[in-house]
């Protein structure tokens, strides 16, 4: 039996934490994900897996897995994915807050995103779409220039979304900036290592190093912000809200506040 | 049963208890003490008054309030409200499917 999949938000913070959850936190994947609204809510999962695949594939792993998925009929592919406990568990840990069991969540369908990802693998540009049978080969492309190959494809897609008034967002899976910066610091300091202490380095190198350290700090702050946002997404605020209302009601403040909004 | 509530008769709590409205209320230490235990916990999530303020201003919390309002308006929360000791008038209103109706 396939387990339940929840809806998650289309947000860079959520994706970063998702990839961390899959053990890809230092992701070197180079994928693009274009998410468009689709009324088949559950189908977001397949496309989302495409994004993760894209990242995986960028690693040089999982290609065979993906080809196997292509051989499955659509339904089987869906089951194969939903039977992957790890993927489901990490995915579901981003469950949107549910205040009550079986609660009707208004606007839920509107918020269902469907993800499509584009990845350069083995000299070809592929489109991975959860609603399609398997990867779609968009033609040959060089790894070094794949961004210019994918741009027109994405632009055409965006064009279509705009005509259909469909909300979409575009996210890129990029390397962990901290690793890139740390590597550059290593390269920079390695070259001048024979001068000994850091203070002996030329001023311009020192200021460049300082710049990069600041950028790493910024990056840490951003990741920290993502983590806090994710903790808030996962938190059940029902007890908080009830306590807040009880307190305001006890102080006779609740109804006047509601009244104020009514009169606006 | 679907409650018969005209669209404009419900109020989104997220707009009633907006960050602007809440800021002066949250400056009261007694109120802080009562709410802080209900904050998300975890690494780098301090249980402080600052965190309380920033949580209540966050889109995630605002969304939770909107969802709560919607559930309340649909009449699902009546029994829950009384269980949590909310005033009878509010419970009655919630049970009727209206959010804090004056009646």
């Amino acid at each position: 039996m396939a387990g339940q999949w929840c809806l998650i938000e289309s947000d860079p913070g959520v994706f970063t934490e998702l990839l961390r959850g899959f053990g890809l936190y230092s992701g070197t994947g180079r994928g693009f994900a274009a998410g468009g609204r689709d009324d088949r809510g559950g189908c977001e999962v397949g496309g989302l897996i495409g994004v993760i695949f894209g990242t995986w594939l960028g690693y040089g792993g999982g290609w065979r897995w993906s080809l196997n998925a292509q051989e499955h009929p659509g339904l089987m592919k869906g089951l194969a994915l939903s039977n992957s406990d790890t993927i489901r568990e990490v995915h579901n840990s981003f469950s949107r807050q549910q205040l009550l069991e079986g609660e009707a969540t208004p606007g839920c369908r509107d918020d269902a995103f469907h993800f499509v990802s584009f990845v350069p693998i083995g000299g070809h540009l592929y489109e991975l779409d959860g609603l399609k049978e398997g990867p779609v080969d968009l033609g040959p492309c060089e790894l070094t220039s794949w961004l210019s190959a994918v741009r027109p494809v994405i632009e055409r897609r965006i064009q279509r979304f705009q005509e259909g008034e469909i909300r979409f967002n575009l996210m890129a899976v990029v390397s962990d900036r901290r690793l890139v910066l740390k590597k550059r610091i290593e390269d920079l300091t390695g070259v001048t290592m024979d001068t000994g202490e850091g203070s002996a380095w030329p001023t311009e190198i020192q200021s460049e190093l300082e710049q990069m350290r600041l950028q790493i700090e910024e990056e840490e702050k951003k990741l920290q912000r993502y983590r806090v946002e994710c903790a808030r997404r996962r938190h059940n605020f029902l007890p908080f809200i009830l306590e807040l209302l009880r307190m305001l009601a006890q102080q006779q403040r609740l109804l006047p506040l509601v009244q104020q909004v009514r009169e606006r | 049963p679907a409650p018969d509530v005209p669209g404009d008769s419900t109020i989104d709590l997220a707009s009633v208890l907006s960050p602007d409205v809440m800021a002066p209320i949250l400056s009261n230490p007694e109120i802080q003490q009562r709410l802080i235990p209900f904050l998300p916990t975890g690494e780098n999530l301090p249980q402080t008054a600052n965190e309380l303020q920033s949580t209540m201003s966050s889109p995630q919390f605002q969304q939770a309030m909107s969802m709560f309002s919607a559930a309340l308006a649909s009449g699902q929360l009546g029994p829950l409200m009384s269980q949590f000791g909310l005033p009878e008038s509010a419970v009655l209103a919630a049970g009727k499917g209206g959010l804090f109706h004056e009646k």
Side-chain angles (χ1 to χ4, degrees), chain A residues 96-97 99-100 106 224 231-232 235 237-240 242-250 257 261-262, chain B residues 11 16 21-22 31 34 38 40 44-45 51 54-55 58 61 63-64 67-68 70 77 84 86-87 99 102:
Chain A
R96 294 161 65 97
Q97 300 153 356
L99 294 174
L100 292 170
Q224 172 55 28
R232 285 176 184 156
H235 189 65
F237 277 110
L238 182 60
F240 184 108
L242 290 172
E243 180 67 12
L244 177 65
L245 294 180
R246 186 161 43 206
M247 215 165 55
L248 292 172
Q250 277 169 1
L257 286 173
V261 172
R262 274 192 194 288
Chain B
I11 276 190
V16 175
V21 169
M22 286 312 296
I31 287 180
R34 281 179 63 175
F38 298 101
N44 298 308
L45 285 161
E51 189 63 21
S54 98
T55 299
S58 72
F61 180 76
Q63 190 187 27
M67 284 169 63
F68 177 84
L77 292 183
F84 276 80
L86 275 150
L99 175 53
E102 293 88 333

Side-chain angles (χ1 to χ4, degrees), chain A residues 245 249-250 252 254-256, chain B residues 72 78 81-82 85-103:
Chain A
L245 294 180
Q250 277 169 1
Q252 316 286 327
L254 190 54
L255 289 175
Chain B
L72 196 60
M81 300 272 281
S82 66
L86 275 150
E88 202 180 343
S89 57
V91 174
L92 274 175
K96 278 182 199 151
L99 175 53
F100 306 120
H101 273 204
E102 293 88 333
K103 294 191 215 179

Side-chain angles (χ1 to χ4, degrees), chain B:
Chain B
D4 183 20
V5 180
D8 60 352
S9 74
T10 58
I11 276 190
D12 188 349
L13 273 179
S15 60
V16 175
L17 307 177
S18 65
D20 282 351
V21 169
M22 286 312 296
I25 297 175
L26 290 179
S27 63
N28 179 339
E30 197 188 320
I31 287 180
Q32 292 168 7
Q33 289 318 306
R34 281 179 63 175
L35 288 175
I36 284 173
F38 298 101
L39 284 176
T41 51
E43 194 196 348
N44 298 308
L45 285 161
Q47 307 276 299
T48 61
N50 266 349
E51 189 63 21
L52 183 62
Q53 191 99 40
S54 98
T55 299
M56 287 194 71
S57 317
S58 72
Q60 294 79 31
F61 180 76
Q62 299 285 318
Q63 190 187 27
M65 294 252 277
S66 296
M67 284 169 63
F68 177 84
S69 292
L72 196 60
S74 74
Q76 291 178 65
L77 292 183
L80 190 78
M81 300 272 281
S82 66
Q83 199 183 322
F84 276 80
L86 275 150
E88 202 180 343
S89 57
V91 174
L92 274 175
K96 278 182 199 151
L99 175 53
F100 306 120
H101 273 204
E102 293 88 333
K103 294 191 215 179

Side-chain angles (χ1 to χ4, degrees), chain A residues 198-246:
Chain A
S199 54
W201 289 329
T203 327
E204 62 268 27
I205 290 192
Q206 272 188 43
S207 72
E208 202 179 333
L209 284 174
E210 189 50 34
Q211 272 300 316
M212 286 191 280
R213 284 191 188 113
L214 285 175
Q215 284 178 41
I216 290 177
E217 261 174 49
E218 280 302 309
E219 200 62 25
E220 300 278 3
K221 275 185 209 154
K222 188 181 78 188
L223 291 173
Q224 172 55 28
R225 205 176 60 235
Y226 283 170
R227 281 195 281 270
V228 170
E229 283 171 6
C230 285
R232 285 176 184 156
R233 275 192 190 92
R234 287 169 166 156
H235 189 65
N236 178 4
F237 277 110
L238 182 60
F240 184 108
I241 294 171
L242 290 172
E243 180 67 12
L244 177 65
L245 294 180
R246 186 161 43 206

Side-chain angles (χ1 to χ4, degrees), chain A residues 33-248:
Chain A
R37 191 179 70 182
D38 189 285
D39 49 19
R40 279 174 285 183
C43 293
E44 70 169 277
V45 173
L48 179 57
I49 296 305
V51 179
I52 292 152
F53 266 166
T55 315
W56 239 347
L57 295 174
Y59 258 82
W63 184 225
R64 240 164 65 95
W65 206 100
S66 174
L67 286 178
N68 286 342
Q70 190 174 17
E71 288 157 16
H72 286 303
L75 179 65
M76 285 306 293
K77 183 176 72 170
L79 281 175
L81 289 178
S82 51
N83 281 329
S84 168
D85 289 340
T86 317
I87 293 176
R88 190 179 61 245
E89 275 164 25
V90 177
H91 174 97
N92 283 357
S93 71
F94 282 90
S95 145
R96 294 161 65 97
Q97 300 153 356
Q98 280 226 297
L99 294 174
L100 292 170
E101 198 65 38
E103 165 199 355
T105 39
C108 205
R109 281 168 64 91
D110 287 353
D111 291 343
F113 276 86
H114 154 224
F115 296 94
V116 179
S117 61
F118 298 94
V119 283
I121 305 289
H124 280 250
L125 178 63
Y126 287 97
E127 175 182 333
L128 305 173
D129 182 338
L131 295 177
K132 292 183 179 159
E133 290 296 307
V136 179
D137 188 347
L138 297 175
C141 81
E142 291 300 319
L143 199 56
T144 47
S145 61
W146 83 279
L147 282 178
S148 49
V150 78
R151 187 168 298 127
V153 178
I154 291 178
E155 278 169 1
R156 270 200 303 279
R157 196 61 64 92
I158 291 175
Q159 205 77 39
R160 222 167 72 200
F161 289 152
Q162 282 169 343
E163 283 162 13
E165 274 189 272
I166 286 179
R167 286 175 303 145
F168 71 93
N169 64 26
L170 183 63
M171 286 185 279
V173 181
V174 296
S175 312
D176 185 334
R177 292 292 302 155
R178 292 171 305 172
L179 292 187
V180 176
L181 288 162
K182 279 173 188 165
K183 179 79 173 54
R184 268 172 56 196
I185 288 179
E186 262 176 43
D187 290 349
L188 208 56
T189 52
V191 168
T192 53
M193 203 55 99
D194 54 351
T195 62
E197 290 301 306
S199 54
W201 289 329
T203 327
E204 62 268 27
I205 290 192
Q206 272 188 43
S207 72
E208 202 179 333
L209 284 174
E210 189 50 34
Q211 272 300 316
M212 286 191 280
R213 284 191 188 113
L214 285 175
Q215 284 178 41
I216 290 177
E217 261 174 49
E218 280 302 309
E219 200 62 25
E220 300 278 3
K221 275 185 209 154
K222 188 181 78 188
L223 291 173
Q224 172 55 28
R225 205 176 60 235
Y226 283 170
R227 281 195 281 270
V228 170
E229 283 171 6
C230 285
R232 285 176 184 156
R233 275 192 190 92
R234 287 169 166 156
H235 189 65
N236 178 4
F237 277 110
L238 182 60
F240 184 108
I241 294 171
L242 290 172
E243 180 67 12
L244 177 65
L245 294 180
R246 186 161 43 206
M247 215 165 55
L248 292 172

